Amino acid sequence: MGMMRKLLMGGTSGERILVSTTDPHTSLQRMDTPITMKVGASYSISWTGAMPTTSKYIYPFKVYGGYGVVSDMCDIKLRKSGSSIEIQASFFGTNVAYINLEWVETATLEQRIFINSSSVEDNIVYYDVKVEFYINGERKRTTSGIRNSKDVGDGLRYYENLAGTFVIKKLS
């Protein structure tokens, strides 16, 4: 019974799927359940799909939030650069990874976000987060001390994604 309940709830150990799609979304899509910026919460944002074959940047996904004006808060961009793939990941406008990966046809790219603390200044809530960046399940970078420069508002609540498998999970 316990395992069946975990499977029905969308995962194990408190894990819950917020978004799961293989369809491309090239305009803002609202999440049914937003990424809530609450101290102690953690999230995984991942995309699995085809790597670019041109030198133009593509964004496999972008996640948006903000108060008043919706802003890009989390993204990954890719491009082919010679015989490798240039990968840049950012969160709250901070570069969390800049990696060259030997060219492959497909890959899984993931950012795991951990909300460590919050503080209020001039009626804006600022969050201190740690982001871990993974390629094909292997952690490549950890960046701590990331802080929002824009008002996050109700949390991160919109997304865009390319074709592939795009998943946002609440880990804790």
Side-chain angles (χ1 to χ4, degrees):
M1 174 68 176
M3 181 55 91
M4 184 59 113
R5 182 169 183 246
K6 287 178 185 176
L7 292 172
L8 291 172
M9 296 299 288
T12 59
S13 304
E15 184 178 290
R16 192 172 86 207
I17 306 292
L18 304 180
V19 173
S20 180
T21 184
T22 56
D23 297 328
H25 296 95
T26 56
S27 61
L28 292 182
Q29 300 295 306
R30 187 173 181 85
M31 292 181 217
D32 291 334
T33 305
I35 294 175
T36 305
M37 303 304 289
K38 186 174 181 179
V39 174
S42 60
Y43 295 88
S44 166
I45 304 169
S46 66
W47 177 85
T48 302
M51 294 295 101
T53 56
T54 70
S55 61
K56 287 186 171 185
Y57 279 111
I58 64 167
Y59 287 83
F61 68 80
K62 291 184 178 184
V63 180
Y64 299 87
Y67 182 76
V69 176
V70 176
S71 300
D72 177 0
M73 300 282 181
C74 173
D75 64 53
I76 291 179
K77 68 181 182 178
L78 317 168
R79 72 179 181 141
K80 187 166 185 191
S81 178
S83 62
S84 64
I85 301 294
E86 182 182 296
I87 303 169
Q88 294 181 43
S90 67
F91 192 81
F92 284 162
T94 299
N95 185 13
V96 296
Y98 183 90
I99 296 171
N100 283 307
L101 174 68
E102 187 174 319
W103 196 85
V104 293
E105 288 188 28
T106 63
T108 298
L109 308 173
E110 176 185 14
Q111 290 191 51
R112 292 184 192 169
I113 296 102
F114 303 87
I115 296 110
N116 295 324
S117 65
S118 66
S119 60
V120 178
E121 295 174 23
D122 298 326
N123 295 321
I124 296 176
V125 180
Y126 290 94
Y127 299 94
D128 180 80
V129 300
K130 174 178 84 170
V131 177
E132 296 177 345
F133 180 72
Y134 292 76
I135 299 175
N136 296 327
E138 181 182 338
R139 186 171 58 191
K140 297 292 186 178
R141 297 277 188 276
T142 299
T143 307
S144 297
I146 299 169
R147 188 172 180 221
N148 53 305
S149 59
K150 298 177 185 174
D151 193 342
V152 177
D154 295 332
L156 310 186
R157 59 190 190 280
Y158 297 97
Y159 65 92
E160 294 177 326
N161 65 284
L162 295 179
T165 302
F166 179 63
V167 178
I168 300 176
K169 294 184 231 179
K170 184 176 190 310
L171 301 174
S172 66

